[in-house]
Amino acid sequence: MTVLSINLNKVALLRNQRDIDYPSVTGMAKIALAAGAGGITVHPRPDQRHTRKSDVYELSKMLREEYGAPIEFNIEGNPTEEFMQLVADTKPEQVTLVPDDPDQNTSDHGWDIRTNKDRLKEIVDRLHAQNARVSVFIDHDPDVALAAAEIGADRVELYTGPYYECFFRDDREQVLSLYKSTAIAARDSGLGVNAGHDLNLDNLAHFLQAIPWTDEVSIGHALTADALIYGMDGAIKAYLAEIAKK
Ligand SMILES: CC(=O)[C@@H](O)[C@H](O)COP(=O)(O)O
Ligand SMILES: NCC(=O)COP(=O)(O)O
């Protein structure tokens, strides 16, 4: 079954607008998990515009102390030394390597793995030594999936921004077929397949029907906006219902 991992960045963004701890990032994580979410994702950026380092420490502590079975905790980011220290301290189940520059508005591309091969392999080895599963954020390109296997990654995360952009266009199925070819290349190389960025209640089921072996989708922006309408519990259940359509 595809795991729904809720990205709490946008909860943190709202929290940061006032000097009060409301909405609570850890509190929203608890509601999401109680509603059936299978994991928690955060992407702490260097400028701490939303998820702060303190949130990551508090989430790690809460998930470890308040949940018997391990909860899929996924930390995303560019593997700077500061990021690697945060990951070493908080010991997430999964680390998703994302090539974002500090001043990027949001994630908008996957890794050029072959150009960064030596750096990424060293990072993967360091994370494996901490027993973290490593996922690499990639574009829909089968060759890049093969490169991810060459550096020892455990999974790829398909950057689904272009899928979102084409969803109501005539070339949707052509674009989706390249995502499927990339996912097949990953699977055939022994890699798991995650997906994320701009997935929503309109486009999620169709993506999973094309790639039903997707291990995890991480969703934050649209799901948080939907929670303003349906509540977090209702939003989680709506996304789980879309996942169940695959
Ligand atoms: C990697 C990715 O596509 C998202 O997980 C990313 O976390 C979105 O970042 P913002 O929430 O800062 O837009
Ligand atoms: N890896 C994708 C993610 O965590 C959330 O992306 P989005 O749903 O906020 O676009």
Side-chain angles (χ1 to χ4, degrees), residues 7 9-10 43 45 50 76 98 105-107 137 196-197:
N7 183 312
N9 286 355
K10 300 302 168 12
H43 188 154
R45 294 183 180 271
H50 40 52
E76 301 182 329
V98 186
N105 176 50
T106 187
S107 307
F137 195 64
H197 202 90

Side-chain angles (χ1 to χ4, degrees), residues 138-150 156 158 177-193 211 213:
I138 69 168
D139 295 315
H140 46 306
D141 179 340
D143 184 56
V144 180
L146 300 179
E150 292 167 11
V156 293
L158 302 179
S177 68
L178 192 50
Y179 276 94
K180 186 168 184 176
S181 302
T182 307
I184 289 169
R187 181 186 60 188
D188 291 352
S189 302
L191 298 182
V193 176
I211 308 173
W213 65 94

